[in-house]
Every structure is written in C-alpha cells, then in structure tokens.
Amino acid sequence: MDELTLANGVRMPQEGFGVFQIPDHEEAKRVVRDALACGYRLVDTAAAYLNEHAVGEAIRESGLRREEVFVETKIWVQDYGYERTLRAIDAALARLGLDVIDLLLLHQPIGDWPGAWRALEAAYRAGKLRAIGMANCYPHVLADVCLTADIRPMVNQVEIHPFFQQEANLATMRDYGVAPQAWGSLAEGGHGIFTHPTLTEIGRAHGKSAAQVALRWAVQRGVAIIPKSTHRERLAENLDIWDFALSDDEMARIRALDTGHSDIVNHFDPAFVKMLHNHRVHA
C-alpha cells in the first residue's frame, strides 16, 4: 500500500478504514479488529460517530504496536471554540486511550472553527497531535483557512467519488500543499456504483469489481480513501486494489461520470447547517 507524505513530513497510509455509522460498541470493536487483521493500518473515527472508545480498545486488542496504526478522529461543532476544543482534544485522547492522535480534523467548517483551529495548533505544538486538518471544506473555505491560519491544514477530508470528483477542490489542495482524503469513496452505494456499467466493464478487464475500480481511480488521483464495510470479505476486497493500474483511457472514461454535485449532502443548504449546529454528541 502507498502512503501520502503530509506537509509536515508525517506519512499517512493512502487507504484506511472508516467507522462511520457503527455506534454499537461491540460491533465497532469487531469490525476494527477485522480491518486490522486484513491489513488496514489507518482507522478513521470521530466524536460524532460515538465509537472512539471501541476503536481504541480494538487497536489495543489487535496485538499491533501503537506506531503501526495511524489513528485519526474529528472534533464536532458542539465543541468548537478555543477552550472548548482544548477540552475536547483531551477527551478524545481519553476515549481512544492514546497519548497522541496521529491526525485530528475539525469535522465541519462552521461556527467558531477559527477558535477551534487555534486549539488544534496549540495541541499540535504541545505534541498531542502528529498532524491536523479540516473536513468538508470546499475550495473557497479551504483557501481562507490556509491564508489565515498559523499552521495550514495538512489534510482536507471531503466527499469524493466518480460521480462527484471535486476537481477544483483537489486543485486548491495542491496549491496549498493539503493532502486530500475522501469520505464516501463508494458514493454510499448511490448511482448503482456496485454494478455501474462503465466501472464494471473496466473492472472486467482487470479481474476486479466495480467498487475496486472506483477505489483504484481515487488513489491514482493522489487521494487517500477510508472505505467502510462491516463484512470481512468486503474489507479484504476493498484493500485488494494495489496490484493493478487504470490506463489513461480508463481514467478518462471515469472522469466523464462526474455530475459536479453531491447527491449525499448539501453543505450549502441553510437547513443542513442548522442541523449541524443543533446536533449534540454529548450532554
């Protein structure tokens, strides 16, 4: 598996395992243990996923050394603001049972994210975080963060898949030295991605599935991915993308699938922004 070198020199696996929508403690532990046993070495969680404690336990029970697993999590909007975010960072460390988090992101660029970002910078300087970043930043927001922060984000985690390719966002990340990481790499099952005729035909030429083609397309663009599954056979399949390459023509055929917008979430909808502000992950 390839790695991405972040702006500060930290090396991050280009493929990892995400645990979104697995709030059950024992189930989350099981799938993280399965993922690590399959060969994943990056686990992506978040305060809002309500499973950081399970992730930490699974890593400790895996038998792997701490330095073998890259752990990333996210601070939720409820905990933005310099002092609140400092407390939230310590709480995340406690839930994970770690002394250091490899990558900490701000989950949404709304509310007092500037205050929260200063807290991430302080915790990074204090050695509690190996890298810091943002999530869900569109190009204009990412540029603003990079132009105003003392320390630029090292990662921007955003929705990227063949039907929402985010070319302008990737160009902005390249301009500012920010590594792209995709959530929703398989479009959360939308657009018939698992049986899509273009992806299926390309996959047939390589002995791969449509899903494997979509994941391979992402990493060939220099994007890190964190696909999720609760099934061990799918975990293994999602990781089995490093023994083939797509041709320029195949990449172009996938490029033609871009719709230019998300069908999963609309960050520009005022009602969605209100929901993010009102969502509570703790008392």
Side-chain angles (χ1 to χ4, degrees), residues 99-157:
D99 296 321
V100 178
I101 293 169
D102 296 297
L103 173 62
L104 186 65
L105 310 177
L106 296 185
H107 209 146
Q108 300 284 346
I110 63 173
D112 186 14
W113 69 258
W117 186 257
R118 290 195 298 274
L120 262 63
E121 292 176 328
Y124 173 74
R125 293 187 182 104
K128 295 181 179 182
L129 313 172
R130 295 181 64 224
I132 55 178
M134 299 289 292
N136 296 301
C137 284
Y138 284 88
H140 64 294
V141 178
L142 182 64
D144 186 46
V145 178
C146 290
L147 290 167
T148 56
D150 287 341
I151 301 173
R152 289 179 177 176
M154 296 148 197
V155 172
N156 184 26
Q157 185 187 110

Side-chain angles (χ1 to χ4, degrees), residues 39 42 53 82 101 149 153 227 230 279:
L42 181 153
H53 189 257
Y82 184 77
I101 293 169
T230 59
H279 183 64

Side-chain angles (χ1 to χ4, degrees), residues 18-273:
V19 294
F20 178 51
Q21 294 180 330
I22 316 177
D24 180 77
H25 184 85
E26 292 303 318
E27 177 74 351
K29 277 179 63 175
R30 179 190 66 79
V31 295
V32 172
R33 286 197 305 264
D34 285 349
L36 294 172
C38 285
Y40 290 85
R41 291 297 179 265
L42 181 153
V43 181
D44 170 83
T45 182
Y49 300 169
L50 305 178
N51 53 24
E52 289 171 308
H53 189 257
V55 167
E57 284 189 6
I59 291 170
R60 287 189 292 278
E61 293 173 6
S62 71
L64 295 169
R65 299 188 307 276
R66 169 64 185 93
E67 60 270 21
E68 293 182 85
V69 184
F70 191 101
V71 181
E72 63 179 86
T73 190
K74 309 173 194 73
I75 300 295
W76 184 244
V77 178
Q78 177 184 2
D79 290 317
Y80 284 8
Y82 184 77
E83 295 295 339
R84 285 196 300 274
T85 301
L86 286 177
R87 291 194 293 271
I89 293 168
D90 287 340
L93 285 162
R95 286 191 296 270
L96 288 162
L98 300 178
D99 296 321
V100 178
I101 293 169
D102 296 297
L103 173 62
L104 186 65
L105 310 177
L106 296 185
H107 209 146
Q108 300 284 346
I110 63 173
D112 186 14
W113 69 258
W117 186 257
R118 290 195 298 274
L120 262 63
E121 292 176 328
Y124 173 74
R125 293 187 182 104
K128 295 181 179 182
L129 313 172
R130 295 181 64 224
I132 55 178
M134 299 289 292
N136 296 301
C137 284
Y138 284 88
H140 64 294
V141 178
L142 182 64
D144 186 46
V145 178
C146 290
L147 290 167
T148 56
D150 287 341
I151 301 173
R152 289 179 177 176
M154 296 148 197
V155 172
N156 184 26
Q157 185 187 110
V158 297
E159 178 188 351
I160 297 176
H161 49 75
F163 311 102
F164 186 35
Q165 300 186 12
Q166 296 245 40
E167 289 287 356
N169 212 343
L170 290 179
T172 303
M173 292 186 223
R174 287 192 294 270
D175 286 345
Y176 290 100
V178 179
Q181 187 179 58
W183 65 260
S185 298
L186 296 174
E188 295 192 350
H191 295 268
I193 190 168
F194 298 114
T195 57
H196 192 279
T198 298
L199 301 176
T200 299
E201 183 180 343
I202 293 172
R204 193 175 297 120
H206 297 277
K208 299 292 182 178
S209 68
Q212 288 171 313
V213 169
L215 297 176
R216 181 66 204 182
W217 164 85
V219 299
Q220 281 190 214
R221 298 171 83 215
V223 176
I225 56 175
I226 47 170
K228 183 203 90 174
S229 178
T230 59
H231 303 288
R232 186 156 183 161
E233 63 275 12
R234 182 60 63 82
L235 288 171
E237 177 184 324
N238 289 345
L239 199 61
D240 186 23
I241 63 168
W242 297 97
D243 60 351
F244 77 109
L246 300 174
S247 68
D248 290 344
D249 177 68
E250 289 168 334
M251 293 290 286
R253 291 178 63 193
I254 298 172
R255 192 179 311 122
L257 302 179
D258 190 15
T259 67
H261 63 85
S262 172
D263 291 316
I264 298 174
V265 63
N266 181 4
H267 285 94
F268 303 99
D269 179 3
F272 180 71
V273 174

